[in-house]
Amino acid sequence: MKEYSDLQRARNIFKPILPNVLNNAINNITPIIRNEVINTNLNIKKIFPNTYGKPNIHFKNGVNCSIIKKAIKVAVIFSGGQAPGGHNVVAGIFDGLKRANKNNVLIGYLGGASGILHNQYKSIEQKNLSNYRNTGGFNLIYSGRTKIETIEQLSLMKKNFASCNIDALIIIGGDDSNTNAAIIAEYFKKQNSTTCIIGVPKTIDGDLQNKYIEIPFGFDTATKIYSELVGNICIDVCSSRKYWHFIRLMGRSASHITLEVGLQTHPNIILIGEEILAKKMTLSNIVDNIINIIIKRSNLNKNFGIVLVPEGLIEFIPEIRELIANLNDIIDNHVKIIGQLQSIEEKEKFIYSKLSAESYNLIKSLPNNIASQFILDRDPHGNIQVSSIETEKLLITMIEQKLNELSSIGKYHGSFNAISHFFGYEGRCGMPSNFDANYAYALGYNASILVLNGITGYLSSVRHLTRDPALWECGGIPLTNMMTIEKRNGVDKPVIQKTLVNIHANPFLEFFNNKDKWILNEDYISPGPIQYFGSKNITNVITQTLKLKHKK
Ligand code: FBP
């Protein structure tokens, strides 16, 4: 039999706080339709003729006439990277459905959308769900990155849904997965099917936020876990006073995680990709800036410090962005020839011979092991796997080289001992904080109400997150309301855009206004581990990002 820790057991029986509007008897929720400004992008209207132009929905207490009375069967999938709180979304859906009608059924397709195509699923029951309540991970039904986009996939999905009598699908995912939810919803509508499709906003990266989504679930817990680790290193460095720690933090593109962890811990240097892009900084500008700080601190007898590096940093450096685009083009256009070349050296030689002069000089200036990462690691679409490039090690190598040069001409007298870290997977499946446990549960419960009302093509929306959870507002936002057209691999595609760090908004400005102080001093904060039980002022702390976003 599987063993559980005492804390896991205590968390399993923790009851998330349900917003009042959802907590009232299920038949007393009325969808209030508010005609807020809808998306005026006519291309979106053209692509989504059946789901475009729908109003935003806000739930209010009242008498609900539209709720479906007959028993329904709902399916759920996890899509993309893990985020703490996923199991609570499922628990929220389950509890909402069962409270409306105990004969309602919930199933989970296994491994994301590919489970739908292969008709692999499991029935979700109170028994198999109870040990997963308030736990991290997506291990109840696993996740995957498959999208259902082609006509063949869509019609196979429809066939599989018909064979299982599925009335609704809830997709728990990030920007791409919710874009996919919009495409699927449009397809079912066009086919005159009554199957409802609802999205739930998830990602530790925090980049699925816009005027309707304050933050996706998972960001709160993941950043608290990384902050605990970074805070511990801050105290270690203060005690030993002999290392520079270069810490890369997850976040495929946007630097929200790095910014949040920086605001929670106050390290000496926080690199924010979006600032680097705005200032059009080159790789050597970044290295020089860090070296200046290392020398300044060394002159104060401080041969130690902490640098935070966002995972997506290199894509914000214009010359590297160009190198990546150049490499992707070459590899795309010569897949067959490259595939036939046996050794890495042959592949490199062939690819390098096709690079522009600037890109060639740049890749040749990189340490060999890092240069190879640009060529070898590809994602399932054949593009460079930017997230696996060890930027923190690249920076350390380049800094070491320059400091040696400076030292040889008597311009640097300190000692530079660097240690690299990558914190990513450590935070994605952590036990959800109270915020994420409550938020994810509310998102799931709310999704069940949308489905019970026969609503399709909407995102489950829970807002006013700085308030007490009981006062959170709930409803739905049409997915098409958040969409725009973006060029992806040269083709115009409808997408829900990722939101990058806004360098004019409060969270970034808070860092910017303090950064000089943090560079030279040890204003470090070690926030400690997430607190699940105890006084509210330590169990219900929200992220700086959310707090500062709401600050006028
Ligand atoms: P999502 O956008 O799917 O939520 O993924 C988040 C993330 O954790 C990124 O931060 C990271 O770059 C990526 O997933 C890693 O992906 P994988 O799990 O496939 O290694």
Side-chain angles (χ1 to χ4, degrees):
M1 201 187 120
K2 208 170 165 190
E3 295 287 329
Y4 297 92
S5 73
D6 291 342
L7 181 59
Q8 279 173 313
R9 286 262 170 245
R11 284 309 276 176
N12 282 161
I13 54 173
F14 170 83
K15 292 257 171 295
I17 303 166
L18 200 56
N20 288 340
V21 69
L22 299 181
N23 204 20
N24 291 322
I26 200 141
N27 286 331
N28 284 343
I29 288 174
T30 307
I32 303 285
I33 300 218
R34 266 200 220 151
N35 281 313
E36 284 170 282
V37 186
I38 53 159
N39 193 339
T40 51
N41 189 325
L42 294 182
N43 288 321
I44 297 296
K45 183 177 181 182
K46 223 185 281 166
I47 300 169
F48 297 94
N50 299 289
T51 46
Y52 169 89
K54 302 275 182 276
N56 295 343
I57 291 172
H58 298 256
F59 292 134
K60 288 267 181 271
N61 292 326
V63 179
N64 189 349
C65 314
S66 61
I67 208 153
I68 296 169
K69 293 282 186 327
K70 72 170 178 65
I72 59 169
K73 188 169 182 183
V74 177
V76 61
I77 57 166
F78 288 127
S79 182
Q82 284 72 257
H87 289 144
N88 275 28
V89 179
V90 177
I93 300 170
F94 180 85
D95 291 351
L97 289 176
K98 291 291 181 189
R99 194 161 159 198
N101 182 339
K102 64 177 180 4
N103 294 320
N104 285 336
V105 171
L106 179 64
I107 67 157
Y109 279 104
L110 305 180
S114 73
I116 301 176
L117 300 177
H118 296 111
N119 228 354
Q120 291 172 331
Y121 58 87
K122 91 171 176 205
S123 166
I124 296 174
E125 312 281 352
Q126 187 68 274
K127 227 168 68 191
N128 61 9
L129 183 61
S130 59
N131 286 336
Y132 289 91
R133 288 177 186 266
N134 309 299
T135 64
F138 286 179
N139 44 330
L140 173 65
I141 48 172
Y142 333 128
S143 186
R145 290 199 183 273
T146 302
K147 302 279 173 304
I148 296 182
E149 289 165 317
T150 65
I151 289 296
E152 293 73 34
Q153 289 174 319
L154 286 160
S155 73
L156 176 58
M157 171 186 209
K158 188 163 176 271
K159 191 171 136 228
N160 289 349
F161 277 4
S163 73
C164 289
N165 301 316
I166 301 294
D167 295 294
L169 170 69
I170 298 173
I171 298 178
I172 305 170
D175 54 322
D176 273 349
S177 308
N178 278 293
T179 296
N180 201 216
I183 291 168
I184 298 170
E186 178 65 25
Y187 174 80
F188 276 107
K189 267 279 180 199
K190 194 170 159 199
Q191 302 282 316
N192 287 322
S193 160
T194 51
T195 309
C196 301
I197 312 295
I198 295 296
V200 173
K202 163 240 69 162
T203 176
I204 60 161
D205 290 5
D207 54 9
L208 179 53
Q209 51 172 294
N210 52 44
K211 67 175 170 175
Y212 302 115
I213 307 170
E214 290 170 32
I215 204 77
F217 79 81
F219 179 77
D220 184 272
T221 311
T223 54
K224 281 177 177 149
I225 294 173
Y226 301 139
S227 297
E228 182 200 350
L229 298 174
V230 171
N232 291 348
I233 294 178
C234 288
I235 301 306
D236 191 276
V237 98
C238 254
S239 315
S240 69
R241 306 174 85 80
K242 61 178 180 185
Y243 297 121
W244 271 91
H245 290 267
F246 284 67
I247 307 169
R248 177 164 51 111
L249 291 165
M250 224 178 213
R252 190 191 298 268
S253 321
S255 312
H256 297 290
I257 292 181
T258 299
L259 180 58
E260 173 63 30
V261 173
L263 291 172
Q264 287 193 33
T265 58
H266 305 178
N268 306 97
I269 303 177
I270 306 171
L271 301 177
I272 298 295
E274 291 80 346
E275 181 188 19
I276 282 158
L277 179 67
K279 293 185 173 161
K280 297 195 173 54
M281 289 171 77
T282 62
L283 185 56
S284 73
N285 292 153
I286 299 170
V287 168
D288 288 346
N289 279 358
I290 301 176
I291 285 183
N292 281 340
I293 294 169
I294 291 173
I295 294 177
K296 271 190 196 157
R297 286 184 61 86
S298 176
N299 291 341
L300 296 169
N301 215 10
K302 297 177 179 181
N303 289 302
F304 62 90
I306 316 261
V307 185
L308 297 190
V309 182
E311 183 181 47
L313 174 75
I314 50 170
E315 278 196 294
F316 287 105
I317 304 170
E319 83 223 71
I320 297 202
R321 213 176 232 219
E322 218 176 292
L323 167 66
I324 291 171
N326 209 192
L327 285 169
N328 279 338
D329 274 354
I330 296 168
I331 294 168
D332 258 11
N333 295 330
H334 301 90
V335 179
K336 219 167 156 193
I337 305 179
I338 298 170
Q340 283 160 356
L341 297 172
Q342 299 299 314
S343 68
I344 298 164
E345 290 75 23
E346 281 176 301
K347 286 182 207 274
E348 275 183 4
K349 200 168 156 203
F350 175 82
I351 294 168
Y352 284 11
S353 72
K354 304 250 170 286
L355 284 172
S356 68
E358 293 78 20
S359 293
Y360 177 80
N361 290 337
L362 176 60
I363 202 157
K364 288 304 277 181
S365 73
L366 301 176
N368 285 343
N369 59 330
I370 304 283
S372 304
Q373 290 172 1
F374 277 82
I375 309 273
L376 296 179
D377 295 325
R378 330 285 309 165
D379 69 13
H381 308 286
N383 293 323
I384 287 167
Q385 190 104 37
V386 179
S387 58
S388 55
I389 295 173
E390 295 167 312
T391 332
E392 70 289 11
K393 293 191 179 157
L394 168 68
L395 291 172
I396 291 175
T397 311
M398 294 181 79
I399 289 166
E400 268 167 354
Q401 269 167 11
K402 285 210 176 180
L403 285 176
N404 284 340
E405 282 164 27
L406 290 173
S407 165
S408 68
I409 54 170
K411 291 198 168 165
Y412 172 62
H413 307 284
S415 63
F416 178 70
N417 296 305
I419 298 179
S420 64
H421 311 260
F422 171 49
F423 296 151
Y425 301 97
E426 292 82 348
R428 292 201 314 185
C429 286
M431 201 179 265
S433 61
N434 283 355
F435 175 87
D436 271 333
N438 291 328
Y439 181 37
Y441 186 77
L443 283 167
Y445 202 102
N446 185 65
S448 78
I449 310 274
L450 289 167
V451 158
L452 287 163
N453 278 279
I455 290 163
T456 188
Y458 276 66
L459 181 98
S460 172
S461 151
V462 174
R463 297 206 260 175
H464 295 284
L465 300 172
T466 50
R467 294 181 187 166
D468 187 283
L471 304 175
W472 287 347
E473 289 193 359
C474 301
I477 306 292
L479 289 160
T480 54
N481 243 0
M482 293 179 275
M483 295 181 88
T484 182
I485 302 288
E486 203 178 87
K487 265 217 174 351
R488 295 258 171 108
N489 298 327
V491 183
D492 279 346
K493 292 250 175 185
V495 296
I496 296 175
Q497 264 179 336
K498 282 189 195 309
T499 299
L500 302 180
V501 168
N502 178 351
I503 58 167
H504 304 291
N506 285 343
F508 178 82
L509 295 176
E510 175 74 13
F511 148 64
F512 192 79
N513 294 334
N514 281 293
K515 74 174 180 182
D516 289 340
K517 200 169 65 164
W518 297 347
I519 281 173
L520 291 184
N521 302 314
E522 291 72 60
D523 275 359
Y524 306 143
I525 295 179
S526 180
I530 295 174
Q531 299 297 304
Y532 298 98
F533 299 103
S535 130
K536 267 192 180 177
N537 64 340
I538 55 168
T539 56
N540 290 12
V541 186
I542 57 169
T543 58
Q544 293 292 321
T545 304
L546 201 53
K547 205 185 289 172
L548 291 162
K549 239 175 111 163
H550 281 263
K551 194 172 141 191
K552 292 279 173 282

